[in-house]
Amino acid sequence: RKEVEQDPGPFNVPEGATVAFNCTYSNSASQSFFWYRQDCRKEPKLLMSVYSSGNEDGRFTAQLNRASQYISLLIRDSKLSDSATYLCVVNDGFQKLVFGTGTRLLVSP
Amino acid sequence: EAGVAQSPRYKIIEKRQSVAFWCNPISGHATLYWYQQILGQGPKLLIQFQNNGVVDDSQLPKDRFSAERLKGVDSTLKIQPAKLEDSAVYLCASSRPRGGQETQYFGPGTRLLVL
């Protein structure tokens, strides 16, 4: 079983749609969780950290369910500029980050 | 604040040749990481340095890959000899330790193609 699993997509949505990505992780000792965004042929950049209480940043909402070892990212009112690959990232319980394969999002006009 | 610098940006070599990549982290960042990202996959950690010491190199293919960070600032990653399956983007990242909550900042990467 992979340490971090994501649906690779692609998710094709129209502008203005709401889209949700899910991610599961296998290491119950993981303590910190993140979503990174990676544009085509660019480096990954931190989108947001994920907390147990859930957190929101504008149109983006991240949720963590420790019991189910499940992380989600919700994007509301999708923009063309949201087209990218979204990487689920989990700390391994020490200092190492483990990246999922990423979920590709394509937002069309 | 200057970001993570990497060079070269692109490299094409033939199998069995050697190649070296250079990384200069963000000033003041004690932790430096080298990742390998194969097309269609997420980044995979190769080696992590804390200052000039190795924290984790469990996924570094040590028969052909080596890395150093002699003065605790910039770092080089070397592949010798290269194989076809080493074709990937090599990403360098740095962070300021915060007990596991640190944000990693990535450089633009070096795209390696092995023919």
Side-chain angles (χ1 to χ4, degrees):
Chain A
R1 182 184 173 187
K2 289 183 180 178
E3 290 186 72
V4 180
E5 293 207 57
Q6 295 181 253
D7 180 343
F11 284 57
N12 289 284
V13 302
E15 268 187 296
T18 295
V19 61
F21 306 138
N22 303 319
C23 166
T24 58
Y25 61 96
S26 60
N27 185 353
S28 59
S30 298
Q31 294 297 318
S32 50
F33 311 88
F34 311 89
W35 284 100
Y36 274 69
R37 170 189 169 133
Q38 187 170 27
D39 292 295
C40 187
R41 302 180 70 82
K42 297 288 189 180
E43 70 273 21
K45 292 184 179 179
L46 179 67
L47 178 66
M48 59 198 303
S49 301
V50 188
Y51 304 112
S52 295
S53 54
N55 48 302
E56 187 174 310
D57 182 2
R59 298 181 293 108
F60 298 83
T61 300
Q63 296 277 355
L64 167 65
N65 183 322
R66 286 187 185 270
S68 302
Q69 296 181 200
Y70 171 96
I71 305 161
S72 65
L73 177 68
L74 182 77
I75 305 176
R76 291 181 299 277
D77 188 22
S78 299
K79 312 292 185 190
L80 295 177
S81 56
D82 294 334
S83 296
T85 296
Y86 292 83
L87 297 161
C88 177
V89 186
V90 175
N91 174 280
D92 71 341
F94 298 94
Q95 288 183 282
K96 188 173 82 177
L97 294 185
V98 181
F99 287 74
T101 56
T103 297
R104 192 169 169 212
L105 172 66
L106 299 172
V107 182
S108 54
Chain B
E1 182 181 65
V4 176
Q6 289 188 248
S7 68
R9 293 294 309 277
Y10 305 91
K11 192 74 178 178
I12 301 174
I13 62 173
E14 294 187 348
K15 60 182 179 184
R16 291 188 289 274
Q17 285 187 322
S18 301
V19 65
F21 312 129
W22 175 82
C23 172
N24 191 30
I26 292 172
S27 178
H29 282 195
T31 312
L32 185 148
Y33 314 79
W34 282 102
Y35 289 88
Q36 180 193 59
Q37 186 172 23
I38 293 172
L39 187 65
Q41 298 181 20
K44 183 185 84 171
L45 180 69
L46 293 175
I47 189 167
Q48 177 180 339
F49 292 95
Q50 181 80 13
N51 297 307
N52 60 351
V54 175
V55 173
D56 184 343
D57 64 357
S58 57
Q59 298 189 96
L60 186 74
K62 298 179 186 64
D63 58 334
R64 299 184 301 105
F65 286 64
S66 64
E68 59 183 17
R69 194 184 184 198
L70 293 176
K71 296 182 179 179
V73 180
D74 56 350
S75 175
T76 55
L77 175 69
K78 297 180 182 177
I79 308 175
Q80 181 180 8
K83 293 185 175 181
L84 297 178
E85 59 261 37
D86 298 332
S87 294
V89 177
Y90 291 84
L91 293 161
C92 179
S94 70
S95 69
R96 183 180 290 118
R98 284 181 57 208
Q101 292 295 326
E102 58 272 1
T103 298
Q104 293 189 18
Y105 297 88
F106 285 82
T110 296
R111 295 184 177 276
L112 174 67
L113 178 60
V114 182
L115 301 176

